[in-house]
Amino acid sequence: MGTMGHHQRSRSASGSPSATRSSNATELDFAAVDLECPFGGIDALGAVELRETAYEIFFMSCRSSGGAAASSPGARGGGASEGEVSSPVAGAGARGGSAVMSSKVKKALGLKPRRSAPTMVRTLSQNSGPVSPGRTRRPMTSAEIMRQQMRVTEQSDARLRRTLMRAVVGQVGKKPDSIVLPLELLRQLKPSEFTDDEEYHQWQFRQIKLLEAGLLLHPSLPLDRLHAAVLRFREVMRATEIRAIDTGKGSDAMRVLTNAVHALAWRPGSGSDACHWADGYPLNVLLYVSLLRTVFDHREPTVVLDEVDELLELIKKTWPILGVGRAVHNVCFAWVFFQQYVVTEQAEPDLASATLALLADVAADAKQGSRESQSRDPVYAKVLLSALGKMQEWSEKRLLDYHERYERGTGGTATEGMEILLSLALAAGKIVADREYAGTGNFTADRVDYYIRCSMKNIFTKILENGMGEADPANDPGVVLTRLARETEQLAMFERTNFSPLLRRLHPAPIAVAAVTLHGCFGVVLREYLGKVTILTEELVRVLHSANRLEKALAQMTAEDAADCEDDRARAVVGDMEPYEVEAVVMSLLKAWMDDRLRIGSDCLLRAKETESWIPKSKEEPFPASAIELMRLSRATIDEFSDIPATAKDDVVQALVDGLDSIFQDYISFVASCGSKQTYVPPLPALTRCNQDSGFFRLWKKAVLPSCQAPEANPRGGASQHTPRPSISRGTQRLYVRLNTLHYVLTHLQAIEEPLSSLSSASGGNRVATSVNFDRTRAAAQSAVSHVAEVAAFRLIFLDSRHSFYQGLYIRNVVDTRIRPVLRALKQNLSFLVSVLVDHAQPVAVREVMKASFQAFLMVLLAGGNDRTFTRADHGMVEEDFRSLKRAFCTCGEGLVPEDVVVQEAEAAEGVVELMARSTEHLITAFGAATSESIAGVREYEDSDGGTTHVPPTRQWGPADPNTILRVLCHRDDEAANQFLKRTFQLAKRR
């Protein structure tokens, strides 16, 4: 890094009256420079309160340690041993005498002393008026300088002196770190020493908040929040917040507070018998940083006082109280100089030079057994990573956009400010990286590489935005892109001339990195532009020519820079330049066009999912609007693709087919998302025994029921004749529209495949011709047809027709509730179904209705619930009814369901009906044989009434199924079945 200019701007603190007055000009605005404190903050204590507390701790440390700085106005600060601090900063000894000698600290940090000879003086009378002729003047003490620097009034300072003098009476030789200062101040200071009660109350509550921060909120040792002392302290704090408490010797509140504070401050756990009240992080660091800031003249913030050596020696006396060591001091001191450099608008390069000198000490500390030092001082790791991380973050934020933040150089070099921030960012980041990642890789080169890439991207973005804003609206986008290519090339040349000489000291190939980054940025814009172009035009030709010229210029810069470097990094950078491949633009345009058409299809699908109501467009077109729109878009896409005059179409035709195939399958999945047939199937009722009616009740039912029965329909017409209307609900009708939709898609697939096949055959693409099809869509549609037809059939039978079929057939007895009304309604429903469905959808729909009807008929016989019972004599009527049900499907339409299919599907039901003709004894014997042969073995299950059977439940009814036989027995209305079920399964009678 080049030598940074050192400004001759150092001076002593002045004893002028204005030095003791607080001014807005002396308060540095940290927020304005976007620099946050890395150590966080204390919510209850502001910057002024922290500064006042820091001064109190400083004063007590100097006074109690036996130094003369605080007690004798004319003395200099006494010293701790130099062996405690080995760095040139903290190890500078105190100086005495009437004149300020050359500062060792400023010399070590590269800060020049002031030019003038007179030292800091003040009048002996200590007033702020003008000095009268003949009045003697003497140098200010270090303690007086500190008071002035920390903006403490003489009144507050005098009050603090008197208080500490009373506090240390009888405590001669007591270490300052064994005194809880806020507690002592509360004991000694009385309301009479303040201007009014409100001032005293605020001061007292500040001391309580300080104790809370040090003992409860940020303790150096782990703290139990439910500790008795914590609870007692909280009670006193709540009382103090309302009004000032009595701090006299007999005060109960003061006694409770004292006991609580001592219990918390003298807790064991640190390995030594020490008092812990202000050494917890981050309170201790915030207080310590407040002290370190006093080395800068509060009236001229860029100047470091010549008395910095004495001030640091005095500040060092606070280490035991604050728990600060040499390593933590070095980090905090480096942060203070960095912060001062930033908040003074980077006007003084010497402050940055001092920061770098201090970071060298910090790096040495970090290298000397960082793990060991962390275990000894856990605060060190937090302070180190927080402060250096914030330095690196703030510096890099500027470096990531160095084209805009710094002047572009004079005489072909970068500005001094950029060089300083590079040094600061890399020095701080290197320490953190070595500690966190064991120093792997080339940190400096990696970070500079990152700065170059980010800054080039940012400046390119600004050029692009300016070009787009200034472009004539009448100009084509191609004109803007052509101009951008020219300006990008000029930017690369400017980077090589102005910034690369500085960056080359830190990176082997900065020009190559910048050129590759610009190449990639322009490539993004180029590809975005090409993504909006659908055909080749003259404008596109000009854009491609400009892009080709820019690419050659950037590639030449990259190659020349890499040729001068033997580092592998340069060759790797060259490999990062991805060619624009102008020759492949046509293929890109084709793919972009295809993606746009597929996106339109996907949007159509999305609209269908959001708005489709499954209402047919018309009677002539019983399909929903979404299906018509989707297939029309697909056919238009294929036609437009056929008209594109490109020879490379056969390379993307399969991708187009796959995209359309995916959209079709997604749409088919949407059409088929209509639930499951199980939704409509009634649950199996619990197994129970039939109630045995008495002989009197049977006679009464036989005599009464016929008169209460509804009259049969008159086949010749008349008043009693009733023609049922179709009972198909709107939900079922929408399912039929879904079936029509699926067949509509299947029908149009063939029309879409034909032009694709002819296109590939004409171009000689036999390989493509064999693969251009929608077989996956066709298979998905066939599967969806079966599913939707099945759901529609079960909804029709078990929901729409439930009153006449499942809930009406054979209720109470067979003879009075035969199947004839069911058949009339079923025929009406089938006629309506055929009128709604397209021809290709009718066979599968009717077949599924047949299956659902047979299933419903079996459930009436086997799972009909408590209202159904059967006798052996009912078999003939049931068998006749089932034949009528089969005949209804054999005669439906013109062969919609072949007779052999009806016979095949009816086999299971006919077997169950045949069981009803068997005697009860035969059924019991057949049940035993079927159970013993069951693969499942004798496995019990519990029914809804708490009884147990030895047969698992099933809906796969059949004459050899033990569950089927058992349910026939449960519905058999005779004594033998009743006794068998009671004896074998303990089934309860029906209620």
Side-chain angles (χ1 to χ4, degrees):
M1 184 63 62
T3 303
M4 292 179 285
H6 296 292
H7 292 219
Q8 308 292 332
R9 301 182 59 209
S10 179
R11 55 170 299 240
S12 290
S14 172
S16 65
S18 62
T20 61
R21 294 195 302 267
S22 203
S23 172
N24 291 335
T26 65
E27 296 290 344
L28 301 179
D29 188 1
F30 300 110
V33 292
D34 191 24
L35 183 65
E36 298 178 355
C37 178
F39 315 116
I42 307 298
D43 293 337
L45 300 173
V48 175
E49 293 172 314
L50 287 172
R51 189 175 66 235
E52 293 174 352
T53 301
Y55 181 74
E56 292 169 354
I57 294 175
F58 166 81
F59 195 93
M60 183 188 70
S61 301
C62 295
R63 170 66 180 172
S64 302
S65 62
S71 58
S72 177
R76 290 295 177 190
S81 62
E82 276 195 51
E84 290 182 59
V85 181
S86 61
S87 73
V89 175
R95 307 183 310 280
S98 60
V100 178
M101 301 172 61
S102 177
S103 169
K104 294 181 180 179
V105 172
K106 296 182 71 171
K107 183 178 180 180
L109 297 180
L111 301 173
K112 301 296 179 62
R114 62 178 177 82
R115 294 177 180 177
S116 56
T119 60
M120 180 179 294
V121 295
R122 67 189 301 275
T123 63
L124 289 176
S125 63
Q126 299 186 10
N127 62 33
S128 58
V131 180
S132 60
R135 181 173 296 184
T136 59
R137 305 168 68 90
R138 64 166 178 81
M140 294 178 63
T141 66
S142 297
E144 290 170 337
I145 296 174
M146 179 64 80
R147 179 188 66 77
Q148 189 180 76
Q149 287 293 99
M150 299 199 77
R151 295 182 287 284
V152 177
T153 64
E154 293 185 7
Q155 178 185 2
S156 299
D157 183 63
R159 184 170 58 200
L160 180 61
R161 288 172 182 269
R162 294 193 302 269
T163 303
L164 287 181
M165 185 172 293
R166 292 194 296 266
V168 298
V169 172
Q171 301 185 40
V172 178
K174 190 173 183 180
K175 295 181 179 181
D177 56 317
S178 64
I179 300 175
V180 182
L181 177 59
L183 192 60
E184 294 298 329
L185 294 177
L186 288 171
R187 285 173 175 161
Q188 302 299 333
L189 276 176
K190 305 304 178 186
S192 59
E193 302 188 53
F194 294 85
T195 57
D196 54 40
D197 292 341
E198 180 62 25
E199 182 186 2
Y200 174 69
H201 181 208
Q202 293 179 358
W203 174 87
Q204 189 183 78
F205 192 55
R206 173 172 72 84
Q207 303 299 330
I208 296 295
K209 289 190 294 183
L210 175 61
L211 288 173
E212 180 197 30
L215 297 175
L216 304 186
L217 301 181
H218 307 284
S220 60
L221 301 177
L223 177 65
D224 181 6
R225 299 297 178 182
L226 298 180
H227 193 283
V230 175
L231 302 179
R232 293 196 300 271
F233 181 90
R234 291 292 188 192
E235 292 177 359
V236 177
M237 185 173 183
R238 284 192 292 270
T240 310
E241 187 174 5
I242 299 174
R243 65 177 63 87
I245 62 173
D246 181 14
T247 58
K249 292 183 178 180
S251 170
D252 290 337
M254 195 63 192
R255 177 181 52 79
V256 172
L257 177 63
T258 301
N259 294 337
V261 169
H262 283 173
L264 294 171
W266 290 93
R267 288 183 296 118
S270 63
S272 63
D273 187 14
C275 180
H276 304 277
W277 70 272
D279 56 348
Y281 179 84
L283 175 62
N284 59 343
V285 176
L286 293 174
L287 292 172
Y288 192 66
V289 167
S290 297
L291 293 172
L292 291 179
R293 289 199 187 105
T294 59
V295 302
F296 303 103
D297 192 330
H298 70 276
R299 296 166 309 166
E300 195 170 354
T302 60
V303 176
V304 177
L305 297 178
D306 284 342
E307 294 80 6
V308 60
D309 301 62
E310 294 93 331
L311 295 182
L312 287 177
E313 286 299 322
L314 295 177
I315 291 173
K316 186 174 65 177
K317 296 179 183 297
T318 64
W319 286 9
I321 295 178
L322 299 177
V324 173
R326 177 182 56 81
V328 173
H329 163 81
N330 287 340
V331 176
C332 292
F333 207 28
W335 167 254
V336 167
F337 269 91
F338 173 78
Q339 186 183 53
Q340 200 73 7
Y341 173 68
V342 171
V343 298
T344 55
E345 299 180 351
Q346 307 169 55
E348 180 55 79
D350 279 2
L351 296 178
S353 299
T355 305
L356 291 172
L358 288 165
L359 287 178
D361 288 344
V362 174
D365 293 338
K367 288 181 180 178
Q368 293 175 0
S370 59
R371 297 180 184 273
E372 181 181 354
S373 63
Q374 181 178 356
S375 62
R376 291 197 313 267
D377 185 4
V379 174
Y380 174 65
K382 298 178 182 178
V383 175
L384 179 71
L385 298 178
S386 299
L388 270 60
K390 185 60 67 175
M391 289 184 192
Q392 183 183 10
E393 177 187 346
W394 190 91
S395 302
E396 289 189 344
K397 185 176 182 180
R398 276 78 187 155
L399 292 172
L400 296 181
D401 197 7
Y402 60 78
H403 284 86
E404 286 295 315
R405 291 194 176 268
Y406 298 101
E407 297 178 4
R408 295 188 173 180
T410 303
T413 61
T415 61
E416 184 182 33
M418 179 179 173
E419 183 179 3
I420 291 174
L421 253 65
L422 274 170
S423 301
L424 291 172
L426 295 174
K430 184 66 165 58
I431 297 173
V432 175
D434 288 345
R435 183 179 183 86
E436 295 292 296
Y437 310 108
T440 57
N442 188 335
F443 174 80
T444 299
D446 289 343
R447 296 312 296 173
V448 172
D449 187 291
Y450 179 61
Y451 303 154
I452 296 172
R453 293 180 186 273
C454 290
S455 188
M456 299 308 299
K457 290 178 181 177
N458 290 332
I459 189 61
F460 178 87
T461 302
K462 290 180 176 63
I463 293 175
L464 175 61
E465 292 174 350
N466 293 335
M468 297 295 291
E470 297 174 0
D472 186 348
N475 291 341
D476 293 330
V479 175
V480 176
L481 202 61
T482 302
R483 184 187 306 120
L484 178 63
R486 182 173 60 254
E487 293 182 359
T488 301
E489 183 178 354
Q490 294 173 356
L491 175 62
M493 301 293 293
F494 196 89
E495 172 76 12
R496 182 173 66 177
T497 303
N498 291 275
F499 292 104
S500 294
L502 168 63
L503 298 173
R504 187 176 295 281
R505 306 174 195 172
L506 306 169
H507 192 283
I511 300 175
V513 173
V516 169
T517 303
L518 288 176
H519 181 274
C521 291
F522 186 83
V524 171
V525 179
L526 176 64
R527 282 185 284 271
E528 182 180 359
Y529 166 76
L530 294 177
K532 299 176 182 179
V533 177
T534 57
I535 57 175
L536 290 173
T537 62
E538 294 183 3
E539 172 192 316
L540 177 59
V541 173
R542 286 194 300 270
V543 170
L544 295 178
H545 177 73
S546 300
N548 190 40
R549 175 182 173 180
L550 172 64
E551 184 172 46
K552 290 180 179 179
L554 296 178
Q556 183 177 359
M557 290 184 189
T558 303
E560 291 174 354
D561 197 32
D564 297 336
C565 178
E566 298 179 356
D567 195 306
D568 291 339
R569 181 184 297 271
R571 289 188 288 272
V573 170
V574 175
D576 291 340
M577 182 175 284
E578 182 180 354
Y580 294 148
E581 296 182 353
V582 175
E583 298 79 7
V585 169
V586 175
M587 180 60 68
S588 299
L589 290 175
L590 278 174
K591 291 182 177 179
W593 171 87
M594 180 181 65
D595 292 341
D596 182 64
R597 294 304 180 272
L598 293 178
R599 179 189 57 78
I600 294 174
S602 297
D603 292 343
C604 176
L605 174 61
L606 182 60
R607 287 194 302 273
K609 291 181 178 180
E610 294 175 349
T611 62
E612 186 56 76
S613 59
W614 305 112
I615 298 176
K617 186 176 181 181
S618 63
K619 291 184 179 180
E620 292 73 20
E621 292 183 315
F623 318 109
S626 60
I628 298 174
E629 182 183 4
L630 180 63
M631 301 315 293
R632 184 177 65 248
L633 286 174
S634 302
R635 182 57 186 264
T637 299
I638 298 301
D639 293 342
E640 187 174 346
F641 181 77
S642 302
D643 295 336
I644 294 177
T647 58
K649 289 191 298 183
D650 55 342
D651 293 333
V652 299
V653 63
Q654 187 60 50
L656 178 61
V657 171
D658 292 341
L660 291 174
D661 207 15
S662 177
I663 294 174
F664 293 156
Q665 291 184 63
D666 197 358
Y667 182 74
I668 290 170
S669 177
F670 165 61
V671 175
S673 59
C674 58
S676 170
K677 69 176 183 180
Q678 300 301 330
T679 305
Y680 307 105
V681 178
L684 292 177
L687 294 176
T688 57
R689 292 180 287 141
C690 288
N691 290 323
Q692 295 298 304
D693 298 337
S694 65
F696 173 79
F697 184 76
R698 291 179 183 176
L699 292 175
W700 178 83
K701 183 170 68 173
K702 183 177 182 180
V704 174
L705 283 182
S707 63
C708 301
Q709 173 178 330
E712 289 284 346
N714 186 355
R716 296 183 180 180
S720 63
Q721 185 176 5
H722 172 68
T723 303
R725 295 182 179 179
S727 58
I728 299 179
S729 64
R730 291 189 179 274
T732 307
Q733 295 177 33
R734 292 190 180 97
L735 291 177
Y736 292 155
V737 176
R738 290 177 185 252
L739 273 178
N740 288 342
T741 304
L742 294 172
H743 281 279
Y744 181 82
V745 172
L746 284 171
T747 302
H748 282 73
L749 283 180
Q750 181 65 28
I752 295 176
E753 286 176 341
E754 290 178 356
L756 290 175
S757 300
S758 60
L759 173 66
S760 58
S761 298
S763 61
N766 295 326
R767 173 183 58 82
V768 178
T770 58
S771 61
V772 174
N773 55 65
F774 295 97
D775 288 346
R776 288 178 297 178
T777 298
R778 190 173 284 104
Q782 295 289 359
S783 176
V785 165
S786 300
H787 172 71
V788 175
E790 183 181 55
V791 174
F794 272 73
R795 179 184 173 93
L796 174 65
I797 297 302
F798 287 100
L799 181 64
D800 299 345
S801 306
R802 64 184 183 280
H803 296 295
S804 62
F805 205 152
Y806 181 73
Q807 295 179 356
L809 185 62
Y810 303 150
I811 292 295
R812 296 186 181 88
N813 61 78
V814 174
V815 66
D816 297 321
T817 52
R818 299 287 295 276
I819 202 172
R820 187 176 300 171
V822 176
L823 294 179
R824 286 200 299 270
L826 178 62
K827 291 179 181 179
Q828 292 290 337
N829 289 336
L830 289 175
S831 298
F832 183 81
L833 180 153
V834 170
S835 67
V836 171
L837 290 175
V838 296
D839 294 344
H840 293 87
Q842 293 173 9
V844 64
V846 174
R847 186 165 60 250
E848 293 298 332
V849 172
M850 177 188 67
K851 293 179 181 179
S853 300
F854 291 168
Q855 180 72 13
F857 190 83
L858 284 176
M859 290 192 65
V860 167
L861 300 181
L862 302 174
N866 297 339
D867 293 333
R868 290 185 174 93
T869 62
F870 300 97
T871 65
R872 189 177 180 183
D874 294 333
H875 167 260
M877 290 179 288
V878 173
E879 185 178 31
E880 181 182 355
D881 286 347
F882 187 68
R883 283 198 301 270
S884 300
L885 182 61
K886 290 195 300 180
R887 190 163 47 252
F889 291 100
C890 291
T891 59
C892 178
E894 298 180 359
L896 289 178
V897 183
E899 187 173 352
D900 58 337
V901 175
V902 176
V903 172
Q904 181 181 356
E905 294 294 337
E907 287 180 356
E910 288 177 337
V912 174
V913 172
E914 195 274 334
L915 285 177
M916 300 180 67
R918 304 290 180 88
S919 65
T920 300
E921 292 75 11
H922 180 85
L923 292 175
I924 294 172
T925 302
F927 173 75
T931 303
S932 62
E933 295 175 1
S934 176
I935 298 177
V938 182
R939 182 181 302 172
E940 292 188 353
Y941 78 95
E942 186 173 346
D943 62 22
S944 59
D945 291 334
T948 59
T949 69
H950 298 285
V951 181
T954 180
R955 291 182 185 269
Q956 299 298 325
W957 314 116
D961 174 47
N963 186 61
T964 303
I965 301 173
L966 179 62
R967 288 186 174 273
V968 172
L969 286 171
C970 288
H971 286 76
R972 178 63 61 89
D973 190 8
D974 62 28
E975 186 63 25
N978 183 53
Q979 292 300 323
F980 171 74
L981 295 172
K982 178 180 180 181
R983 180 180 64 254
T984 306
F985 300 112
Q986 296 80 42
L987 292 178
K989 286 186 178 182
R990 300 180 183 179
R991 296 182 179 86

